[in-house]
Amino acid sequence: MIVKNPPKLASSGNLGQYLRNEMFAWSKNVTTALIRLDFLDNFQSFRVNDLTIPPGETVRITNPLPFVPSARIIVRQVGNGLITDGDWDIQILRLINNGAVPVTISVIFFK
């Protein structure tokens, strides 16, 4: 998590001071964190860059996540290949180039 939980209120008698000091500072941290968010921060995911797959070949990618991803997105592709999924398990994710030419991709796997 990129933002810590909000500070706890010590007593209800100090509510005004709590809001002015503690919650104001915490909300500034939340705002800063939200500005810095990118696509990958929104998912349990990992990205593989510049993976080259020869025509008709299957590549094996080690899965660093503690679960089998449910989806993938190719975010960059060079070459006219047709990439399909092979078998995925907790350790290895397989991608297949069903095209007639080599292809280089960058791909994000996520849940």
Side-chain angles (χ1 to χ4, degrees):
M1 180 170 217
I2 61 174
V3 177
K4 294 180 181 177
N5 291 331
K8 295 199 186 267
L9 176 61
S11 72
S12 60
N14 296 331
L15 183 60
Q17 181 181 2
Y18 170 77
L19 291 174
R20 279 189 304 276
N21 297 336
E22 303 291 333
M23 290 305 291
F24 181 74
W26 181 77
S27 66
K28 284 177 35 179
N29 288 337
V30 170
T31 302
T32 301
L34 291 174
I35 290 170
R36 294 181 183 161
L37 274 181
D38 68 8
F39 181 80
L40 292 177
D41 289 331
N42 286 290
F43 305 97
Q44 288 182 296
S45 63
F46 74 100
R47 181 176 176 153
V48 178
N49 289 313
D50 302 323
L51 175 66
T52 299
I53 310 173
E57 295 292 319
T58 300
V59 294
R60 297 166 46 101
I61 302 162
T62 302
N63 179 17
L65 300 171
F67 53 84
V68 178
S70 60
R72 61 147 173 99
I73 298 174
I74 295 175
V75 293
R76 187 169 196 296
Q77 178 171 332
V78 176
N80 196 20
L82 174 62
I83 306 303
T84 58
D85 298 340
D87 293 330
W88 291 6
D89 59 46
I90 194 71
Q91 296 173 338
I92 301 294
L93 311 171
R94 294 164 186 84
L95 294 178
I96 306 162
N97 179 1
N98 292 300
V101 296
V103 65
T104 300
I105 61 171
S106 293
V107 60
I108 299 171
F109 293 91
F110 59 95
K111 188 170 189 173

